[in-house]
């Protein structure tokens, strides 16, 4: 009798956790995982890369070869040729000369680029190169970027349409080389000035540029190869890349540290546990309002433009997954989430996320992209320092000896135009995260 | 023979009770109260799953200590205890109290090593229930005959004598 009563009590106790009342809240809903975004992660360096090199053969380049065969321009051609061939062991390399037209060069003809008679073209039509180039290859142009006003606008548009719009990158290497000759078509009156840089002071050398068009990783890799092959010994060389990428690897939300968290609990199980996505974190909110302050490790890509980390902005797409399994989008102006108060400290991006008045039950999906605003970007100093100050043309006209041949006409306009176009189309991001917040 | 049968019954009861507490910790305390009803808010950077693992480790360790105390009590009660006078009764009460005191100390340690932003008192409540509840109920219901009346309230709580 005693034993029977004891067994009944024990069984009753055992059944408590399985009571329907206790199990009422145990129903789990599986929310779809975040969609893949190819622009989140930098594509790796191409294993098989075809490189097309285009050498500016216009007369404006003549001054770079006239001082002799020992100039930085001459070395640039040599290093470029070596790097292109060794840098694409599985791909092929082509060389072309461009001016008003593009002409393919034979292997032996490339050597002629160090000779004066190579530079006889009437104009620098970079847009023609862009037209003929393949966006699947790495396209490299060697040019003095001689562009008049109309050329510059056209060039920005062509590069934007063919490369930036597709998520490809534009890299520019600024090189200074000895120069002796004519600098053509300066200002609206197309004035010509004679310029001799001398051999001593690199600051007086005339700039020439290597423009690289292709995948970001290939351009960055090519920069490194150029440096390794001798560019690191060049004076005053500058590098920049415009692309949709500012960081790599992208900051992992899953590894980020919370500085504070209020009324929220990090949970699991909202999405299938087999899905491992470092952009995703799942929470349960314990009240209508909650939030967190989080610190991300940032890995800025070299050669990209710097920006003011306080001038970041978040683009938020909100959707709600109901317990019935339906996903509906929510007006981003609904003010249920604010992301802001950005700052950086020791390579870490810190910001606040606050949730307001989350009334309806369900799982809220916050797709948050953080990017520098247009005004956050800072042009590197060399953009303006290497840019020709057109307001001084009158002065140079009176005194041609004062002509600043160490600068490039319309350089700042071209480079600024390129990053602005890239920002308009791609809005390069520093972080892309997904907050799944369950409200029960 | 009678003693052996009683001992077998007692140990069966102790193990069933242990099983109940294990199931209780896993299904009721962990899965229901903390995971589903989220009555606790861990610190930032501590996901709920990690906190629950931590809670379960402490709970099962505490329960293990309580089981050890019950085993010691049973061993002492069945093999070592001898009751000739009132002093022996006091000694038995002291032993029961000492084991209870050690478990209280373990309970206090578990309080100090568990942290959360909100709802920590529920964890404390469960620790107390798991450790002291198991020790008390096991010694009340399944003590050897010689010491079965020692735990406070045992005569009242036991089903029948």
């Amino acid at each position: 009798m005693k034993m029977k009563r004891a067994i009944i009590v024990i069984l009753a106790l055992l059944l408590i956790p399985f009571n329907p009342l206790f199990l009422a809240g145990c129903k789990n809903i599986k929310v779809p995982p975040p969609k893949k975004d190819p622009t989140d992660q930098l594509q790796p360096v191409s294993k098989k890369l075809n490189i097309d090199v285009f050498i500016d053969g216009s007369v404006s380049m003549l001054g770079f070869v006239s001082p002799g065969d020992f100039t930085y321009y001459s070395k640039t051609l040599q290093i470029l040729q070596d790097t292109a061939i060794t840098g694409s062991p599985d791909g092929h390399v082509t060389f072309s000369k461009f001016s008003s037209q593009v002409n393919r060069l034979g292997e032996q003809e490339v050597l002629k680029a160090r000779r004066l008679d190579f530079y006889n073209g009437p104009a620098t039509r970079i847009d023609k190169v862009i037209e003929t180039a393949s966006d699947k290859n790495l396209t490299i142009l060697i040019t003095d970027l001689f562009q008049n006003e109309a050329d510059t606008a056209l060039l920005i548009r062509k590069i934007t349409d063919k490369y930036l719009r597709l998520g490809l990158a534009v890299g520019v290497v600024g090189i200074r080389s000895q120069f002796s000759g004519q600098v053509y078509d300066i200002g609206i009156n197309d004035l010509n000035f004679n310029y001799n840089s001398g051999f001593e002071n690199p600051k007086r050398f005339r700039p020439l540029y290597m423009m690289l068009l292709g995948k970001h990783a290939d351009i960055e890799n090519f920069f490194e190869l150029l440096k390794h092959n001798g560019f690191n010994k060049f004076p005053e060389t500058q590098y920049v890349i415009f692309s949709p990428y500012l960081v790599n690897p992208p900051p992992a939300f899953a590894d980020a540290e919370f500085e504070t968290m209020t009324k929220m609990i990090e949970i699991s199980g909202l999405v299938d546990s087999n899905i491992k996505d470092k952009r995703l974190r799942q929470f349960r909110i314990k009240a209508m309002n909650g939030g967190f302050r989080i610190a991300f490790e940032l890995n800025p890509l070299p050669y990209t433009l710097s920006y003011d980390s306080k001038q970041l902005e978040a683009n938020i797409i909100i959707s709600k997954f109901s317990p019935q399994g339906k996903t509906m989008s929510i007006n981003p102006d609904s003010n249920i989430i604010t992301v802001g108060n950005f700052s950086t400290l020791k390579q870490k991006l810190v910001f606040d996320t606050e949730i307001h008045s989350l009334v309806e039950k369900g799982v809220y999906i916050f797709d948050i992209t953080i990017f520098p605003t247009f005004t956050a970007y800072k042009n590197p100093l060399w953009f303006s320092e290497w840019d020709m100050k057109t307001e001084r043309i009158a002065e140079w006209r009176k005194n041609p000896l004062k002509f600043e041949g160490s600068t490039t006409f319309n350089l700042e306009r071209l480079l600024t135009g390129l990053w602005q176009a890239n920002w308009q189309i791609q809005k390069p991001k520093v972080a892309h995260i997904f907050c799944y917040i369950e409200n029960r | 023979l009678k003693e052996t049968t009683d001992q077998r019954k007692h140990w069966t009861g102790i193990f069933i009770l242990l099983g109940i507490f294990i199931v209780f910790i896993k299904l009721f305390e962990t899965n229901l109260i903390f995971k589903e009803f989220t009555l606790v808010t861990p610190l930032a950077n501590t996901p709920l799953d990690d906190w629950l693992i931590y809670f379960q480790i402490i709970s099962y360790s505490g329960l293990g200590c309580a089981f050890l105390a019950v085993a010691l009590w049973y061993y002492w009660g069945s093999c070592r205890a001898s009751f000739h006078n009132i002093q022996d009764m006091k000694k038995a009460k002291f032993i029961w109290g000492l084991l209870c005191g050690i478990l209280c100390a373990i309970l206090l340690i578990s309080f100090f090593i568990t942290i959360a932003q909100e709802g920590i008192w529920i964890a404390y409540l469960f620790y107390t229930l798991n450790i002291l509840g198991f020790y008390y109920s096991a010694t009340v219901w399944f003590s050897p005959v010689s010491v079965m009346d020692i735990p406070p309230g045992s005569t009242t709580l036991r089903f029948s004598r």
Side-chain angles (χ1 to χ4, degrees):
Chain A
M1 188 65 184
K2 267 196 292 182
M3 200 63 186
K4 264 187 187 174
R5 284 169 69 180
I7 288 168
I8 289 167
V9 171
I10 287 162
L11 284 175
L13 284 170
L14 271 171
L15 287 172
I16 287 173
F18 301 105
N19 189 305
L21 277 174
F22 289 129
L23 294 172
C26 298
K27 224 191 283 175
N28 275 329
I29 47 170
K30 293 287 175 211
V31 187
K35 283 182 186 150
K36 294 263 181 278
D37 184 346
T39 63
D40 278 353
Q41 181 101 35
L42 185 68
Q43 300 300 309
V45 176
S46 303
K47 283 182 182 159
K48 188 183 174 188
L49 180 65
N50 297 326
I51 300 175
D52 301 320
V53 180
F54 297 86
I55 302 165
D56 187 347
S58 64
V59 284
S60 62
M61 295 288 286
L62 199 59
F64 286 112
V65 279
S66 54
D69 199 23
F70 51 86
T71 62
Y72 285 110
Y73 176 66
S74 200
K75 287 177 191 167
T76 297
L77 289 174
Q78 186 62 57
I79 290 169
L80 174 62
Q81 196 176 355
D82 294 347
T83 309
I85 291 163
T86 56
S88 65
D90 298 326
H92 67 77
V93 183
T94 66
F95 289 90
S96 304
K97 172 184 170 179
F98 78 95
S99 172
S100 51
Q101 294 297 323
V102 179
N103 298 308
R104 182 87 173 261
L105 297 172
E107 275 185 32
Q108 295 304 312
E109 286 178 297
V110 181
L111 299 170
K112 289 181 185 170
R114 294 194 204 175
R115 287 169 28 183
L116 291 167
D117 58 352
F118 184 85
Y119 301 93
N120 51 11
T124 306
R125 296 292 302 273
I126 299 173
D127 56 300
K128 292 275 181 198
V129 177
I130 307 297
E131 275 172 23
T132 54
S134 164
D135 56 29
K136 290 181 176 57
N137 298 353
L138 178 63
T139 301
I140 303 172
L141 292 90
I142 286 276
T143 173
D144 59 355
L145 279 181
F146 163 73
Q147 301 285 300
N148 64 33
E149 298 281 331
D151 286 344
T152 306
L154 178 70
L155 183 59
I156 292 169
R157 190 164 55 79
K158 294 241 172 179
I159 292 174
T160 303
D161 289 344
K162 187 148 184 176
Y163 290 93
L164 298 177
R165 211 174 281 286
L166 301 178
L168 294 167
V170 179
V172 177
V173 187
I175 306 151
R176 284 192 182 276
S177 180
Q178 298 85 341
F179 184 91
S180 177
Q182 285 282 314
V183 179
Y184 294 92
D185 298 349
I186 303 296
I188 48 169
N189 295 319
D190 294 341
L191 299 170
N192 297 346
F193 291 94
N194 194 48
Y195 184 70
N196 190 339
S197 68
F199 300 99
E200 303 298 323
N201 184 4
K203 287 198 183 301
R204 280 190 51 80
F205 291 174
R206 181 150 174 74
L208 67 115
Y209 304 89
M210 195 182 285
M211 184 181 269
L212 297 91
L213 306 156
K215 280 168 64 181
H216 185 119
D218 292 334
I219 294 173
E220 189 188 319
N221 184 51
F222 205 83
F223 280 5
E224 297 301 331
L225 289 171
L226 286 172
K227 281 181 170 179
H228 182 261
N229 288 347
F231 268 37
N232 54 354
K233 290 177 187 144
F234 281 28
E236 308 233 342
T237 310
Q238 305 290 349
Y239 303 83
V240 71
I241 299 177
F242 310 118
S243 88
Y245 306 98
L246 289 173
V247 289
N248 193 59
F253 187 31
D255 300 336
E257 272 188 24
F258 293 104
E259 291 197 344
T260 59
M261 189 188 275
T262 48
K263 298 289 176 195
M264 285 174 78
I265 301 170
E266 191 176 359
I267 57 164
S268 61
L270 294 178
V271 293
D272 188 346
S273 56
N274 293 323
I275 291 160
K276 305 285 177 216
D277 192 330
K278 289 206 168 239
R279 301 172 303 165
L280 166 72
R281 261 175 130 152
Q282 305 163 62
F283 306 91
R284 185 174 297 157
I285 194 157
K286 293 195 76 180
M288 285 203 298
N289 305 315
F292 54 80
R293 184 165 176 78
I294 195 161
F296 277 98
E297 196 78 47
L298 281 185
N299 301 296
L301 279 164
Y303 314 118
T304 54
L305 287 184
S306 60
Y307 52 86
D308 178 3
S309 57
K310 287 196 174 80
Q311 293 190 55
L312 296 175
E313 201 175 290
N315 180 42
I316 307 167
I317 300 167
I318 312 169
S319 51
K320 198 178 101 179
F321 188 81
S322 69
Q324 290 76 37
K326 283 183 183 168
T327 308
M328 59 188 105
S329 57
I330 292 176
N331 184 358
D333 300 327
S334 59
N335 233 355
I336 57 174
I337 185 167
T338 51
V339 177
N341 206 5
F342 295 100
S343 63
T344 48
L345 188 68
K346 290 179 188 169
Q347 295 276 331
K348 279 191 174 178
L349 168 67
V350 187
F351 63 89
D352 288 326
T353 299
E354 283 173 20
I355 311 290
H356 317 279
S357 310
L358 218 58
V359 182
E360 287 180 39
K361 306 285 178 212
V363 178
Y364 290 79
I365 302 167
F366 297 100
D367 174 350
I368 304 167
T369 309
I370 297 164
F371 59 93
T373 57
F374 187 78
T375 52
Y377 285 98
K378 295 170 194 164
N379 272 355
L381 272 178
W382 70 275
F383 281 19
S384 60
E385 284 175 358
W386 290 33
D387 187 52
M388 195 172 275
K389 309 289 178 284
T390 47
E391 63 271 18
R392 297 191 63 192
I393 290 175
E395 185 189 342
W396 297 335
R397 212 169 168 179
K398 282 180 196 164
N399 188 355
L401 286 174
K402 283 192 170 178
F403 172 66
E404 288 177 354
S406 59
T407 55
T408 302
F409 185 56
N410 268 336
L411 175 75
E412 192 167 20
R413 187 163 172 251
L414 174 70
L415 297 180
T416 306
L418 284 174
W419 80 248
Q420 288 182 352
N422 185 51
W423 186 88
Q424 295 286 356
I425 295 162
Q426 300 291 349
K427 292 217 172 40
K429 56 196 164 196
V430 291
H432 188 196
I433 61 170
F434 289 85
C435 278
Y436 281 34
I437 300 179
E438 185 187 31
N439 185 28
R440 325 176 60 160
Chain B
L1 185 68
K2 170 94 169 58
E3 200 168 291
T4 317
T5 315
D6 277 351
Q7 277 184 1
R8 197 178 298 135
K9 275 184 188 171
H10 289 156
W11 279 107
T12 308
I14 289 167
F15 277 110
I16 288 174
L17 199 63
L18 184 70
I20 290 169
F21 272 83
I22 289 170
V23 171
F24 197 73
I25 290 168
K26 178 69 190 167
L27 296 181
F28 181 73
E29 297 176 6
T30 308
N31 286 2
L32 196 72
I33 299 299
F34 288 132
K35 196 164 186 178
E36 287 305 316
F37 295 161
T38 39
L39 293 184
V40 71
T41 308
L43 294 180
N45 296 311
T46 309
L48 184 63
D49 288 350
D50 290 359
W51 191 90
L52 289 177
I53 290 169
Y54 196 72
F55 168 78
Q56 285 181 86
I57 288 170
I58 294 172
S59 292
Y60 289 135
S61 305
L63 192 63
C65 292
F67 176 76
L68 206 65
V70 170
L72 281 171
W73 170 250
Y74 200 92
Y75 171 75
W76 184 81
S78 57
C79 304
R80 298 278 170 179
S82 56
F83 293 92
H84 303 296
N85 51 41
I86 193 78
Q87 287 304 318
D88 292 337
M89 195 68 117
K90 279 184 180 169
K91 190 180 172 189
K93 280 188 175 166
F94 174 76
I95 297 286
W96 190 91
L98 180 71
L99 290 169
C100 191
I102 291 167
L103 290 178
C104 283
I106 290 167
L107 190 63
L108 276 177
I109 292 166
S110 63
F111 286 0
F112 281 111
I113 59 174
T114 308
I115 41 173
Q117 277 189 69
E118 287 175 6
I120 190 72
W121 61 272
I122 303 172
Y124 292 170
L125 186 75
F126 284 146
Y127 289 151
T128 311
L129 189 71
N130 300 337
I131 297 174
L132 297 184
F134 175 75
Y135 176 70
Y136 185 72
S137 51
T139 51
V140 163
W141 284 332
F142 308 112
S143 278
V145 180
S146 57
V147 291
M148 65 194 295
D149 292 335
I150 299 298
S154 56
T155 45
T156 322
L157 283 172
R158 212 172 297 120
F159 295 126
S160 64
R161 296 297 307 273

